[in-house]
């Protein structure tokens, strides 16, 4: 038989020859993605970058060319490519609120049809089994997509979109944190919570009050607010912190407040989500992040409707100890979505161990 092998700069998620060249043929093609770095050790050797961490590698999508330029950028800035990305962002300045929510939702669904065509070149693509058939999914590359979110956070298209500007900061925290500090896991979790709330891609297991609520898709979203200036954001008592969380000034309900009190001195909760149902009524959901599998030392605070332990090494089945809910592996994977599930501590460990 005869075979035609070619490379292309055309971005496509379909396997038809006509998508890549002028052809009336509907003949299919076999898509082969470019290789990603297989191990952290390989990246250290090839790019002379001994300080690279799994989080840094994942931030650049494990793409050899990006990691090469990033390693040069560590020594002298100005190497990382931005021209094509800037051009792709410029083409999307007319996106409305509905389309932006769908785009952000692609972080979880991996559906290439949810991504405007110019932005597809800023993402990785892969294939996965869907029953008997294979389908193409997209995965976000943080280095590129954080700039996209920065741009869209300035668009006055909805009450929640200014909150997008915090996600690049949190991803920087994910990238730059010390490996054993737990900060990367916390930052990544907050990113996912924010993106789920902003996009309306709620989750019945870990964001339970919002699933199935008809008017929640129009809720306003805030990060680190509303909080009273009369209370200490860095308090050492969770009860005092909860007193500082006030109702939104606009009195628009429903409202979701997401709190990541990194300077607070209490250890029981790392992330707090407040669901303001109506005036005078709120529900509290607390999350303790563990990149390993250690259980909490204390029982949950009774002011919380539900409290969760989000483990980097989740159990195979649900646990419920001292009223803490520990989601299982399948629930964690579903919550982090098609993109986020590739960036969890299990992936960090794999990148490190494959290097041994």
């Amino acid at each position: 038989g005869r075979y035609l092998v070619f490379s292309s700069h055309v971005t496509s998620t379909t396997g038809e020859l006509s998508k890549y060249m002028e052809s009336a043929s509907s003949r299919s093609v076999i898509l082969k993605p470019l290789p990603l770095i297989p191990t952290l050790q390989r990246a250290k050797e090839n790019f002379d970058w001994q300080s690279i961490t799994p989080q840094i590698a994942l931030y650049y999508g494990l793409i050899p060319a990006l990691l090469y330029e990033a390693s040069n950028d560590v020594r002298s800035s100005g190497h990382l490519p931005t021209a094509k990305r800037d051009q792709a962002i410029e083409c999307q300045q007319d996106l409305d609120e509905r389309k932006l929510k769908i785009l952000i939702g692609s972080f979880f669904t991996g559906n290439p049809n949810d991504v405007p065509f110019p932005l597809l070149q800023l993402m990785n693509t892969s294939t996965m089994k869907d029953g008997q058939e294979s389908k193409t999914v997209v995965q976000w590359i943080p280095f590129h997509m954080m700039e996209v979110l920065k741009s869209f956070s300035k668009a006055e298209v909805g009450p929640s979109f200014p909150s997008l500007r915090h996600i690049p900061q949190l991803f920087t925290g994910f990238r730059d944190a010390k490996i054993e500090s737990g900060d990367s896991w916390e930052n990544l979790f907050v990113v996912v919570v924010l993106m789920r709330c902003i996009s309306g891609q709620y989750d019945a297991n870990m964001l339970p009050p919002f699933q199935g609520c008809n008017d929640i898709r129009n809720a306003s979203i805030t990060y680190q607010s509303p909080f009273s200036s009369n209370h200490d954001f860095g308090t050492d008592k969770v009860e005092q912190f909860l007193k500082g969380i006030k109702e939104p000034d606009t009195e628009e309900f429903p409202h979701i407040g997401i709190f990541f009190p990194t300077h607070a001195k209490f250890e029981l909760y790392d992330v707090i989500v407040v669901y303001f149902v109506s005036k005078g009524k709120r529900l509290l959901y607390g999350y303790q992040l563990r990149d390993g599998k250690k259980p909490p030392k204390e029982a949950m605070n009774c002011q919380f409707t539900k409290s969760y332990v989000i483990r980097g090494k989740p159990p195979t089945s649900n646990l419920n100890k001292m009223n803490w809910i520990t989601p299982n592996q399948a629930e964690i994977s579903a919550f982090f979505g098609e993109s986020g599930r590739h960036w969890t501590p299990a992936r960090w460990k794999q990148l490190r161990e494959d290097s041994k």
Side-chain angles (χ1 to χ4, degrees):
R2 297 177 178 178
Y3 298 88
L4 171 64
V5 180
F6 63 94
S7 63
S8 175
H9 291 288
V10 174
T11 304
S12 180
T13 56
T14 66
E16 297 178 4
L17 184 63
S18 58
K19 295 291 184 180
Y20 297 93
M21 59 182 66
E22 293 184 7
S23 171
S25 172
S26 59
R27 185 178 299 174
S28 62
V29 297
I30 299 173
L31 300 178
K32 298 294 290 185
L34 292 173
L36 305 179
I37 63 162
T39 68
L40 205 62
Q41 186 59 36
R42 187 74 63 84
K44 289 180 178 181
E45 294 171 354
N46 289 354
F47 309 132
D48 190 22
W49 194 358
Q50 297 304 308
S51 61
I52 188 175
T53 64
Q55 291 91 324
I56 291 174
L58 292 166
Y59 182 84
Y60 292 105
L62 302 178
I63 297 172
L66 268 184
L67 286 167
Y68 172 75
E69 295 297 350
S71 67
N72 289 328
D73 210 63
V74 170
R75 303 177 182 93
S76 60
S77 61
H79 292 272
L80 286 164
T82 63
K84 286 187 177 180
R85 181 181 68 200
D86 294 343
Q87 185 178 11
I89 293 172
E90 186 64 29
C91 292
Q92 303 305 312
Q93 293 305 312
D94 60 344
L95 285 185
D96 58 22
E97 181 177 8
R98 183 186 68 83
K99 291 179 181 178
L100 279 174
K101 285 189 174 185
I102 292 173
L103 169 62
I104 295 168
S106 71
F107 180 95
F108 304 105
T109 66
N111 187 348
N113 296 321
D114 292 343
V115 182
F117 181 77
L119 297 181
L120 282 174
Q121 64 185 308
L122 306 181
M123 297 185 176
N124 278 332
T125 59
S126 64
T127 57
M128 63 178 293
K129 283 289 185 181
D130 185 11
Q132 297 297 318
E133 299 181 356
S134 295
K135 69 175 185 179
T136 300
V137 293
V138 294
Q139 296 159 0
W140 287 35
I141 300 171
F143 167 71
H144 286 315
M145 293 308 295
M146 292 310 101
E147 292 301 318
V148 174
L149 295 184
K150 280 182 186 179
S151 174
F152 291 160
S153 70
K154 302 170 186 176
E156 298 179 0
V157 295
S160 302
F161 282 91
S163 298
L164 285 175
R165 72 180 188 275
H166 301 291
I167 294 175
Q169 299 168 7
L170 291 163
F171 250 115
T172 299
F174 164 82
R175 181 194 65 193
D176 296 343
K178 295 179 180 178
I179 294 178
E180 304 300 334
S181 69
D183 292 344
S184 285
W185 187 218
E186 294 173 7
N187 277 277
L188 179 60
F189 179 75
V190 178
V191 164
V192 174
V193 170
L194 268 168
M195 293 184 70
R196 279 201 171 276
C197 290
I198 292 172
S199 67
Q201 296 276 344
Y202 297 110
D203 177 272
N205 294 311
M206 293 163 65
L207 287 173
F210 317 134
Q211 187 75 9
C213 182
N214 291 330
D215 60 349
I216 196 64
R217 291 186 180 275
N218 296 318
S220 52
I221 315 293
T222 52
Y223 177 67
Q224 307 290 50
S225 68
F227 196 86
S228 172
S229 59
N230 296 325
H231 289 76
D232 181 10
F233 202 85
T235 181
D236 60 353
K237 298 184 183 300
V238 67
E239 295 81 5
Q240 292 299 316
F241 187 87
L242 296 179
K243 288 180 180 179
I245 299 174
K246 62 178 185 176
E247 290 189 344
D249 293 332
T250 59
E251 295 191 1
E252 292 182 359
F253 301 99
H255 179 87
I256 301 170
I258 300 165
F259 294 87
F260 182 30
T262 54
H263 297 297
K265 301 178 182 66
F266 54 84
E267 297 182 357
L268 197 58
Y269 293 96
D270 297 305
V271 181
I272 297 171
V273 176
V274 187
Y275 176 34
F276 295 93
V277 182
S278 57
K279 188 173 180 61
K281 182 180 179 181
R282 72 180 189 181
L283 302 174
L284 299 171
Y285 293 82
Y287 303 85
Q288 184 178 125
L289 279 292
R290 297 269 181 172
D291 58 3
K293 55 183 181 180
K294 292 182 179 179
K297 298 177 182 179
E298 305 176 39
M300 64 167 279
N301 186 293
C302 62
Q303 294 187 58
F304 286 80
T305 304
K306 288 188 177 182
S307 295
Y308 298 84
V309 181
I310 311 300
R311 287 179 15 182
K313 298 178 181 178
T316 54
S317 59
N318 293 76
L319 299 178
N320 193 324
K321 294 183 179 180
M322 295 188 293
N323 292 323
W324 287 91
I325 300 168
T326 304
N328 62 39
Q329 175 64 64
E331 291 170 342
I332 292 289
S333 182
F335 182 75
F336 279 81
E338 178 56 40
S339 290
R341 66 186 176 88
H342 296 285
W343 307 332
T344 62
R347 186 67 174 116
W348 314 344
K349 181 180 179 182
Q350 181 185 12
L351 283 169
R352 290 198 301 266
E353 291 187 346
D354 286 350
S355 298
K356 295 178 181 179

